[in-house]
Amino acid sequence: MKIAFIGLGNMGGGMAANLAKAGHAVHAFDLSAEALARAGEHGCATFASIREAVAGVDAVVSMLPNGAIVDRAYTGDIIGHVPVGALLIDCSTIDVATAQKVGAAAAAAGYDLVDAPVSGGISAANAGTLTFMVGGTDAAFARAEPILAAMGKAVIHAGASGTGQAAKICNNMILGATMIATCEAFAMAQKLGLDPQKFYDIASISSGQSWSITTYCPVPGVGPKSPADNDYRGGFAAALMLKDLTLAMEAAAQAGVKAEMGERARELYEAYVAAGNGAVDFSGIIRTL
Ligand code: NAD
């Protein structure tokens, strides 16, 4: 297929390369000349604007920073400029309301659009092992699945338009809160005289178990290799966790849900990022305890 790929940053760069590797003709565009050149080196054809990249394609995939940018790209340069009937897939993490608004605008103009945010970081984007959570109609999902499968290990239909984003922020609300709880528990265990490795051996197979312990332990030298073993570099930046928790709290307010643990996690990450740790892996918050 001819697929336009818009947004070739940390995540989109690897995803576009995997689509090209799978045999698709990828029409790439990014505002950054450097990102565009890298896509060119990875088998993508490069274009000078969104409108030029989407002309004549069968599908569009976007991986952009936020909802305002996604809204502008789709309503300004994609809808009405890509052939009618083309499939539109937005993989960015954005607010549910904007995802639904853009989905409705696309549908009114004769396009299928799915929100398909991802779980898994830059290494999963490069390796083609992302998990996609997809919001949209059954028909749109059926069309999107084979394209997304070339970039991921799992493609799950969450439900109607916007539910992909809902799944993403609910998942990351659990992650933010459990990471902080895990960090507090390891800090306290140590103060109480417990060796961190012993506590890991116990908690990782007990009822306190979570992904934050078993896959992403915030203590260096404990559990499988994680950003803690690399001085909290790489991995999932605290600024992105703050972005996702902020989106989660906006959605909670709109839905009339009281999410107190999520809100406390957002406050703690807000303070952590404000102290200059935005680029540090989110598990680095253990160093503040
Ligand atoms: P990034 O900042 O590295 O990449 C975004 C790219 O979009 C940049 O290259 C930028 O130049 C480009 N861009 C911005 N406006 C544009 C426009 N109008 N037209 C074309 N290109 C434009 O960010 P990223 O880490 O790749 O994240 C992208 C999305 O994926 C975000 O929504 C983020 O929340 C989500 N996400 C990131 C991770 C992660 O670990 N980095 C994990 C899961 C989800």
Side-chain angles (χ1 to χ4, degrees), residues 4-286:
F5 204 110
I6 314 299
L8 308 157
N10 289 322
M11 298 292 289
M15 293 164 69
N18 284 326
L19 282 180
K21 223 187 279 170
H24 296 293
V26 179
H27 292 202
F29 176 69
D30 193 293
L31 291 175
S32 149
E34 206 185 312
L36 199 54
R38 254 197 321 273
E41 287 160 19
H42 287 100
C44 303
T46 59
F47 288 80
S49 68
I50 296 183
R51 291 189 188 186
E52 286 174 48
V54 304
V57 300
D58 306 302
V60 176
V61 180
S62 53
M63 194 53 163
L64 293 163
N66 61 50
I69 292 174
V70 167
D71 193 353
R72 267 203 308 278
Y74 277 91
T75 57
D77 294 315
I78 299 175
I79 294 171
H81 298 277
V82 66
V84 173
L87 174 66
L88 312 180
I89 304 175
D90 179 39
C91 295
S92 327
T93 301
I94 66 168
D95 59 289
V96 175
T98 300
Q100 288 171 338
K101 177 191 164 224
V102 173
Y111 305 96
D112 276 337
L113 185 147
V114 294
D115 47 293
V118 306
S119 175
I122 299 162
S123 56
N126 289 333
T129 56
L130 293 165
T131 294
F132 291 90
M133 29 211 127
V134 186
T137 63
D138 289 345
F141 176 75
R143 292 177 69 193
E145 192 177 20
I147 296 175
L148 296 174
M151 301 183 281
K153 67 171 180 348
V155 184
I156 299 169
H157 191 190
S161 173
T163 57
Q165 299 295 350
K168 167 78 185 172
I169 57 177
C170 289
N171 179 76
N172 279 20
M173 187 171 79
I174 298 175
L175 177 60
T178 57
M179 178 54 79
I180 290 169
T182 299
C183 291
E184 288 178 350
F186 271 96
M188 190 161 105
Q190 201 160 9
K191 291 269 187 212
L192 295 175
L194 247 169
D195 174 60
Q197 181 62 51
K198 278 282 170 229
F199 179 56
Y200 173 87
D201 293 344
I202 294 163
S204 62
I205 54 163
S206 299
S207 47
Q209 185 273 338
S210 73
W211 187 88
S212 296
I213 294 184
T214 53
T215 305
Y216 215 88
C217 187
V219 180
V222 178
K225 241 190 170 357
S226 70
D229 299 309
N230 190 29
D231 200 25
Y232 302 95
R233 285 192 302 261
F236 186 46
L240 286 176
M241 174 50 85
L242 176 59
K243 171 191 167 182
D244 290 357
L245 288 169
T246 304
L247 289 174
M249 290 309 102
E250 282 169 17
Q254 275 160 15
V257 172
K258 202 168 164 192
E260 294 184 48
M261 302 294 285
E263 175 53 19
R264 188 67 189 125
R266 192 201 62 75
E267 287 166 4
L268 291 170
Y269 276 108
E270 186 175 49
Y272 187 59
V273 169
N277 298 303
V280 178
D281 182 75
F282 80 115
S283 65
I285 202 164
I286 194 170

